[in-house]
Amino acid sequence: MSRRGALALVGGGALFMAVITAGQAIGGWTRPSALLLPRGRSRGTGPNDFQGNRTAAAAGITSESTGERWRLTLTGGPSPVVLDRAMLTAMTQHTARLPIACVEGWSTTEEWTGVPLRELARLAGVPEPASAFVRSVERRGAFNRATLQANQVAHPDSLLALRVNDVDLSPDHGFPARIIVPALPGVHNTKWVGSIDFRTK
Amino acid sequence: MAFKRFGRIYGSHPLHILTLVAGFALFGYVVVAIKPAALWNPNTWWQSIAVWFAAAIIAHDLVLFPIYALADRLLVATSHRRRPPSRVPVLNYIRIPALGAGLTFLVFLPGIVEQGAPTYMAATGLTQDPFLGRWLLLTAAMFAISAIIYALQLAMVERATPIPSPKRTPTGDEPAG
């Protein structure tokens, strides 16, 4: 093989790798082209059948902790505010089309509906928080909590999502409520949220 | 020109040393950016970047290189033994899909051999079943495409310069060609 041929081979190999992996990030109809990647697979055709990381079963989430008895606790103001899912769905909902961009290298863009985080901050009595500490119902693991910055809480598209693609979240995607914030790595979009502490410093 | 003298002293075109320096500079930047401490994992030593880098070099030089160098030698030897020799050498039409198969096998190894199944299940709720089959199909497709292109090349060359058929003289049996 000539030197030119060898260079062409290496360049072609790099291009081939790009083509066979790009589908997991571009998504849509290109996703199946990521033939040999975990995130190139279809999970069904329903509104909740998009890519995710960590199933509810793996996170040890039981229907006990996310069913009727689930409460969202908002702290940081003069007194804690406790809400259930019915109260949350009764509040004014906002819809945003946002991606989950995982640090593993894949993405998926969906339409999320829920209560804006700045609304929750206002309700908790901290209209301009410096940060927000989110805790999940999930007991173990490094990502059962996340800290959001002031600008992330204040963004109009930052939501505590209750529904996705016009249906309730599935357990694997964080039912009853999950965080979804623009330009935030997937691991910090906490699923199965239990409490949010709005901090002033 | 001036490059000839440089070439005599250095041993290669200046582009060679420029490319090497650029590569080392990029490597240096990466190490500085992630900080040298990140190369070593004090908790699980065998998960360190430095260990995998060294192991990859050793595993390649001691295991992979002998294997694929030998395979290539055998391929070259068998392709040279054909009589008459092909108008279009078949060598690269075998090498390239083989390289493609080897590359995809190496890069997507965990899924293909179903390593780390519990972690995969916890993350996605699915199994790694389809990957072996898909890789085999992909390999078959690569060899098939290579075969088709080879056949087309051969056909084009045959059409452009047809082999003259040997002429027989009335007195002898020897071809006049």
Side-chain angles (χ1 to χ4, degrees), chain A residues 3 8 21 43 59 70 80 99-100 118 120 129-131 138 150 152 168 189:
Chain A
R3 190 177 299 181
T21 54
R43 290 163 52 117
W70 174 81
I100 298 175
R118 56 184 184 183
L120 293 175
S131 66
E138 182 183 359
Q152 291 171 325
D168 284 343
N189 288 303

Side-chain angles (χ1 to χ4, degrees), chain A:
Chain A
M1 190 178 287
S2 67
R3 190 177 299 181
R4 195 174 292 174
L7 275 175
L9 184 64
V10 172
L15 189 64
F16 173 58
M17 289 306 301
V19 164
I20 206 175
T21 54
Q24 70 164 357
I26 301 174
W29 59 271
T30 67
R31 191 171 295 278
S33 71
L35 281 174
L36 297 166
L37 282 173
R39 306 307 179 171
R41 298 172 67 178
S42 152
R43 290 163 52 117
T45 51
N48 259 300
D49 291 321
F50 52 92
Q51 306 294 324
N53 209 343
R54 207 141 177 73
T55 57
I61 303 294
T62 59
S63 53
E64 164 77 31
S65 50
T66 55
E68 287 297 308
R69 312 251 304 261
W70 174 81
R71 297 287 181 271
L72 176 72
T73 309
L74 305 174
T75 51
S79 59
V81 175
V82 180
L83 304 163
D84 65 15
R85 201 182 141 100
M87 293 163 77
L88 282 167
T89 45
M91 296 169 69
T92 317
Q93 307 286 298
H94 177 75
T95 303
R97 194 169 169 74
L98 292 170
I100 298 175
C102 188
V103 294
E104 291 175 352
W106 56 269
S107 316
T108 181
T109 308
E110 313 297 333
E111 208 162 76
W112 309 90
T113 307
V115 183
L117 290 180
R118 56 184 184 183
E119 244 329 283
L120 293 175
R122 199 189 52 78
L123 207 62
V126 191
E128 315 231 313
S131 66
F133 182 65
V134 183
R135 283 204 98 106
S136 169
V137 170
E138 182 183 359
R139 296 251 176 101
R140 304 176 307 263
F143 299 114
N144 60 357
R145 60 202 177 280
T147 307
L148 302 172
Q149 302 309 311
N151 59 324
Q152 291 171 325
V153 177
H155 196 281
D157 278 348
S158 297
L159 304 175
L160 180 74
L162 305 168
R163 293 165 68 79
V164 67
N165 298 328
D166 246 6
V167 299
D168 284 343
L169 288 169
S170 70
D172 281 346
H173 284 300
F175 182 87
R178 72 163 303 152
I179 298 285
I180 188 86
V181 171
L184 186 65
V187 283
H188 290 317
N189 288 303
T190 316
K191 295 200 282 197
W192 313 289
V193 176
S195 68
I196 308 180
D197 183 29
F198 294 100
R199 298 171 171 173
T200 45
K201 55 173 188 303

Side-chain angles (χ1 to χ4, degrees), chain B residues 60 65 82 103 151 164:
Chain B
H60 174 269
F65 176 72
R82 286 170 67 72
L103 178 66

